[in-house]
Amino acid sequence: MTIKTALILGATGVVGTHLVKELSNSNNYKEIHLLTRREIESKEPNCEVHVVEFDNLVRYADLFNVTDVFICLGTTIKKAKSKEAFRKVDYEFVIEAAKMAKASNVEKFLVITAMGANSKSKFFYSRVKGDVEGTLQQLELNSVHIFRPSLLLGERKEFRAGEKISGMIGSFAKFLLVGPLRPYRAIEANKVAAAMYAAAQKPTLGYHFYNSDEIEKLTTRS
């Protein structure tokens, strides 16, 4: 078994925190590098924290010399304060990371977008996520795994009243969304993290997309 190395962007988010645990608890990764905006404490012996300027990611290109790159970046327009700032985090930072991953010839690039991602959508959020997916396909990396969860369930460091209420509704609605509606089910953040880990262990090339129901299946098959 090949012992791998990994880089995670967005390690402090709702999915990222679970992903750090997934990777560090496995025997497959000897080194895990976490790129963060601010200093954080990591209790995992195989994790190394790097405080970086995301506006100038190219300065840290050497950190992309890893086996797998995981992208869990994401914000909200409310938190970002403007559409331009939102796009910078959810599109520009992701694509800049993808370009450096390609330059380093990483084996797998795994990223979270969103259900309904569509570059032609009338909704700005979905349009940005669609732009991410489209640009990634143009870059032609070795192996790209794109996760499109519906509503994410999980504890966040900052309180978001709207998402808390939506999460409660989403948890209940899971039992009603069956058959062709199954892809619209809300999904727990830890399951998305587990699916990202599982996909990274598969010897697959090309582009792969996973909606919430497929994410759920991936965790049960791993």
Side-chain angles (χ1 to χ4, degrees):
M1 179 178 65
T2 303
I3 303 299
K4 307 197 289 182
T5 55
L7 179 68
I8 302 177
L9 282 74
T12 60
V14 64
V15 175
T17 51
H18 289 289
L19 182 61
V20 171
K21 293 177 183 177
E22 283 281 344
L23 270 59
S24 60
N25 289 337
S26 79
N27 295 319
N28 292 338
Y29 293 91
K30 65 177 180 179
E31 292 178 10
I32 305 165
H33 300 275
L34 313 180
L35 267 60
T36 65
R37 292 177 179 274
R38 61 187 185 282
E39 193 67 51
I40 63 170
E41 182 181 355
S42 176
K43 298 179 181 178
E44 311 298 340
N46 54 348
C47 289
E48 184 175 352
V49 177
H50 306 271
V51 180
V52 304
E53 297 174 11
F54 280 85
D55 283 309
N56 198 8
L57 269 180
V58 70
R59 288 180 53 191
Y60 314 97
D62 288 348
L63 295 176
F64 285 79
N65 290 314
V66 294
T67 314
D68 302 327
V69 172
F70 298 84
I71 308 293
C72 302
L73 289 173
T75 186
T76 63
I77 294 178
K78 181 178 180 180
K79 186 176 180 181
K81 308 297 186 186
S82 69
K83 288 184 175 180
E84 292 75 16
F86 171 85
R87 185 177 174 85
K88 176 175 283 190
V89 174
D90 282 56
Y91 176 83
E92 292 179 19
F93 292 169
V94 174
I95 298 306
E96 186 65 23
K99 289 177 180 177
M100 286 187 286
K102 180 177 174 65
S104 296
N105 197 33
V106 302
E107 290 185 12
K108 291 186 177 64
F109 187 87
L110 305 98
V111 59
I112 302 169
T113 58
M115 188 170 203
N118 186 335
S119 59
K120 296 181 179 179
S121 173
K122 63 180 180 180
F123 300 107
F124 178 75
Y125 178 87
S126 298
R127 196 160 64 244
V128 171
K129 297 298 185 180
D131 287 346
V132 169
E133 294 184 357
T135 303
L136 285 177
Q137 291 182 74
Q138 293 172 13
L139 290 177
E140 298 183 345
L141 286 90
N142 292 321
S143 180
V144 177
H145 296 261
I146 296 174
F147 298 81
R148 296 167 163 172
S150 182
L151 179 68
L152 275 173
L153 304 176
E155 293 299 321
R156 289 175 167 82
K157 288 184 172 63
E158 75 275 11
F159 179 74
R160 300 178 185 175
E163 288 188 358
K164 190 72 173 178
I165 295 170
S166 297
M168 293 169 64
I169 296 171
S171 295
F172 175 74
K174 285 182 70 173
F175 301 102
L176 304 177
L177 298 175
V178 295
L181 296 178
R182 193 177 182 89
Y184 296 91
R185 283 185 173 189
I187 189 165
E188 293 81 1
N190 65 311
K191 288 186 177 180
V192 178
M196 294 180 81
Y197 169 81
Q201 313 317 309
K202 297 181 179 298
T204 52
L205 297 175
Y207 287 74
H208 308 269
F209 297 84
Y210 310 91
N211 290 329
S212 286
D213 59 330
E214 294 160 323
I215 291 171
E216 192 104 32
K217 291 177 184 176
L218 192 57
T219 62
T220 58
R221 289 198 300 264
S222 60

